[in-house]
Amino acid sequence: MSHDTLFAEVTDPANRADPYPLYARLRETPVSRQGDGSYVVSTHAAIRGLIFDPRLSSEDLPPSQRPPTGNPFKDWIVNPIKNRVVNAHRPLIFRDPPDHDTLRAIVMEQFTIPRVRGVHREVEGIVEDLIDKLQGRDEICLVEDFSYPLPVMVICRLLGVPEEDEEQFQKWATVLATALEPDSRGDEEARHATATAFDAISDYMRGLIKEKRKNPADDMLSGLANPEPGKPAMGDFDLIASAILLLVAGHETTVNLITNGMLTLIRHPEELDRLRRDPERAPRLIEELLRYEPPVHFRTRKALGDIDIAGTTIPAGAPVILLFAAGNRDPARFADPDRFDPDREDNQHFGFGGGLHYCLGAPLARIETEIALNALVRRFVAPRLLQDPPPYRPGASLRGPEKLGIGLERIA
Amino acid sequence: MSADRGVVVVGASLAGLRGAEALRRGGYAGPLTLVGDEPYQPYDRPPLSKHVLAGELRPDATALPHLVDLDATWRLGQPAVGLDRAARMLRLADGSALPYEKLLIATGARARSWPVTEKTGPLPSGIHTLRSRDDAAALRAALAAGPKRVLIVGAGLIGCEAASCCRDLGLAVTLADPNPTPLARILGSRIGGVIVSCLDTAGVDFRPGTHVDAFEADAAGRVCRARLKQGAAIETDCVIVALGATRDTGWLAEAGLMADEGGLTCDVACRALDADGQPAPGIYAAGDVARTPNPLHVGRLAAFEHWGNAVAQAGHAARNMLAAEDDQQEYRHLPAFWSSQFGINIKGVGLADGADTVAVMQGSRASRRFLAVYGREGRTIAAISFDQARWLPAYAERIEAGVAFPPILGATDQSIKDFGVPDFPQPRSR
Ligand SMILES: Cc1cc2nc3c(=O)[nH]c(=O)nc-3n(C[C@H](O)[C@H](O)[C@H](O)COP(=O)(O)OP(=O)(O)OC[C@H]3O[C@@H](n4cnc5c(N)ncnc54)[C@H](O)[C@@H]3O)c2cc1C
């Protein structure tokens, strides 16, 4: 079969459970033109070359048009203005330098390692509580019962969202999470739900920022809302966009990482055992997990100029799909790449992407996953998969199980 | 290699240490001797003009880590004073002689000192240079004593880094240079102009086009004033002379090698050349002292003063020292350096001097965050970044490939309205 339809197969839900054989075929042509004019980049070397190429832009996504409501005043006046405001203040993962750099620097100033480490205790508490609630059950769904609620609770604590609003946040996060999924666009109903949730959470954030200006606390939102004099600051629209981004971008991704982690461990019982006996193994195991089953499989960029790479010229204007998960399994970079091996040395994976858009929540994701997996293997007695492979969510980029049924002897 | 003679490395600093380690890594198990002028184990110099001056790091805290167990004989505090190539003997200051089978010369460079002649008389005290750990300790002590005004003569990398540290310490600073901007020789004045605005913001009294003529001492013999060629004077009680470096080749004067204060000339395989331009048997050189043909500037010899070059070239020389006569490989290295000053991380690759055009490819000079490339005769030869280092590897690759100038069109944050002549000063007359 010709290679120019391979990516369509990747996005086909039928291949969600095991896209890796497709990736291997894609790697035969490191930069491969697809029928729709996009270019899929799938080898480690080519991805590395491109993430450090200044001609790749992230500003290429179609503007978020609010679907018609039927109310002419809203449709002709309010929504277009809202759209314009929103599009001028896209979150930083959809921005290029220099704006991207300014925004990122301001967020990073608040997303500090001490602050992230500071939530360690809280994460432990949340994790134990979530597992305690499962006492007495012998079958659970890891996604619904554990991986899904955890990241939202954690980001809420970091941002400084009052605990009583966490439930509402869970609901918004569920709707908004799909907004980062490139192939989820188009569906009118989904767009409507996204726009509504987006407007609601924006209004909520606006209020919360006001509150944080009145009563600043030691949390990220207070820090962002009350910049030190003389330090760079962002306006309220960018602030709201950044806060929503932290919620959304850190949500589905962490859900996938934890769920894929448990799935992979149950599939490799000897590794599960070793982790249970030696929790210190978690950091290396998580790095290998980020390579082997990363939460984000690809991101799309746009070429601003003609780019010569790996024997191909990507023409200016073409969409470029950086297939990180394929680079992670490139035998030219990793020995025996399809083997899950936490003892692997020199594990330079793209599990958090790379280049200037490298995941800024990486330290938090690592901490959450470490605490979560250690607690799960410690407290789940004799876990087994109820269905293997599990059903997956439709997204090919933010790829992860929709449900992960686990049978247990008991909870310790 | 003959068992009792073995390898001798002269110069026990970055290139010497990393070269010796590369020999061991490459499987050399014979005798190994490191000869060093300074009494210290190898240490790192870049922090001296940054963290050490700022008082964040003690001068004796920059020792270089040993990456391999060397099992070597150290002759520290013992300069080599001569070389007898026919007998393959190195002469040391204490009168002893060291036989060698192969020799690695890594004597680096020393700070260009203020010329002292009969007419000028001896220099007043309070005048510093900055190259060694002892220099840094003395200068740090002088700065900690709170001088009224520090005068820095020479606005090259070290002069500018020192100026930045002095301002961080709250000291009044005058920076004097004959060129219109700092870093004129390295980056040209078009880009060097960005540093002028940094100096301004930091409150450094920058004096472009200024030639210091002489220093005057007070009754106690301490420096109190610098007289300028133009007639005026600058009151100062602490001077840093930062006029660049001369290669440490004086000890080779009688050795019959192609050596002068610009370096020891080598071939592409890092072999030292004799006066007839032939490789001298068994003698290699690496680091600041080595002057080699550079593929980026065909027909030109270049000696770098960059950390990365010292490491890479020493490794390469070691490789060739262990290889057969007919397996001497060419040293190909894209020069690269970094500097930090005024809160800006500056990084460069390639050789900018000799460029005929410079273009800002991303960002802007006004924001002090940018990436600029240098071209010569239509080829890209160098790139420099101010707080934009992440893109540098992409440009480095293209410089190595010798692509057309300007490279990488269509980048984010690119306008390319800012291009022109780099404005390098006339070459120094030697
Ligand atoms: C203050 C300062 C800051 C710097 N900052 C940077 C930076 O930010 N980035 C960067 O890329 N580079 C920087 N450099 C340059 C970098 O440190 C040099 O390129 C590097 O030290 C070169 O190593 P080398 O071993 O070749 O020479 P050197 O480090 O000069 O060592 C040569 C050694 O040989 C000894 N020697 C000399 N003559 C004899 C003799 N006759 N017998 C025995 N021993 C002898 C010397 O005493 C010295 O110890 C800086 C240099 C200085 C001085």
Side-chain angles (χ1 to χ4, degrees), chain A residues 116-360:
Chain A
V116 170
R117 288 224 183 95
V119 296
H120 207 277
R121 272 274 157 69
E122 296 217 37
V123 179
E124 279 176 347
I126 299 171
V127 162
E128 297 298 329
D129 284 355
L130 286 170
I131 300 178
D132 284 343
K133 283 199 194 131
L134 305 175
Q135 286 286 5
R137 290 183 36 196
D138 56 5
E139 286 192 0
I140 61 132
C141 170
L142 189 76
V143 178
E144 186 183 319
D145 294 329
F146 186 85
S147 325
Y148 215 78
L150 173 66
V152 179
M153 293 168 89
V154 174
I155 197 72
C156 282
R157 309 277 163 97
L158 261 176
L159 280 174
V161 173
E163 262 184 76
E164 62 265 27
D165 295 334
E166 269 178 23
E167 222 180 290
Q168 180 59 58
F169 258 72
Q170 295 279 2
K171 289 187 189 140
W172 284 326
T174 310
V175 182
L176 291 174
T178 51
L180 295 181
E181 183 67 51
D183 44 354
S184 77
R185 270 150 219 291
D187 175 347
E188 196 67 9
E189 207 176 310
R191 270 174 53 195
H192 193 83
T194 309
T196 312
F198 185 83
D199 288 351
I201 193 172
S202 302
D203 289 342
Y204 175 89
M205 285 291 184
R206 189 164 301 135
L208 191 57
I209 289 165
K210 219 187 238 168
E211 165 62 24
K212 298 286 177 192
R213 292 219 166 102
K214 238 187 274 159
N215 300 308
D218 181 21
D219 52 48
M220 281 185 65
L221 214 48
S222 298
L224 290 170
N226 303 290
E228 280 172 46
K231 287 224 166 166
M234 53 173 113
D236 281 9
F237 290 120
D238 283 325
L239 212 169
I240 293 167
S242 301
I244 297 174
L245 174 74
L246 290 174
L247 171 73
V248 174
H251 185 241
E252 209 97 329
T253 50
T254 318
V255 176
N256 288 346
L257 187 56
I258 295 171
T259 312
N260 288 340
M262 212 42 202
L263 174 65
T264 305
L265 282 171
I266 300 178
R267 282 175 175 168
H268 297 84
E270 65 300 340
E271 285 301 337
L272 192 149
D273 250 22
R274 288 178 75 184
L275 181 63
R276 181 185 292 134
R277 275 180 282 128
D278 178 13
E280 311 260 297
R281 266 180 81 70
R284 344 181 36 109
L285 187 135
I286 291 166
E287 290 317 298
E288 176 66 347
L289 195 59
L290 284 158
R291 182 194 73 82
Y292 182 80
E293 287 280 23
V296 180
H297 277 224
F298 58 87
R299 297 297 301 160
T300 306
R301 309 265 206 268
K302 187 175 86 173
L304 295 180
D306 292 351
I307 303 177
D308 289 325
I309 179 143
T312 306
T313 301
I314 303 174
V320 179
I321 296 158
L322 301 174
L323 194 42
F324 294 127
N328 281 355
R329 298 271 191 128
D330 186 345
R333 179 62 181 74
F334 301 103
D336 204 357
D338 294 325
R339 207 170 89 87
F340 178 68
D341 175 14
D343 290 319
R344 195 178 284 283
E345 296 294 333
D346 188 23
N347 195 351
Q348 288 244 12
H349 56 73
F350 296 121
F352 288 122
L356 82 157
H357 289 284
Y358 180 87
C359 175
L360 66 83

Side-chain angles (χ1 to χ4, degrees), chain B residues 92-103:
Chain B
L92 304 188
D94 64 2
S96 61
L98 259 183
Y100 65 85
E101 173 75 18
K102 299 234 161 129
L103 184 69

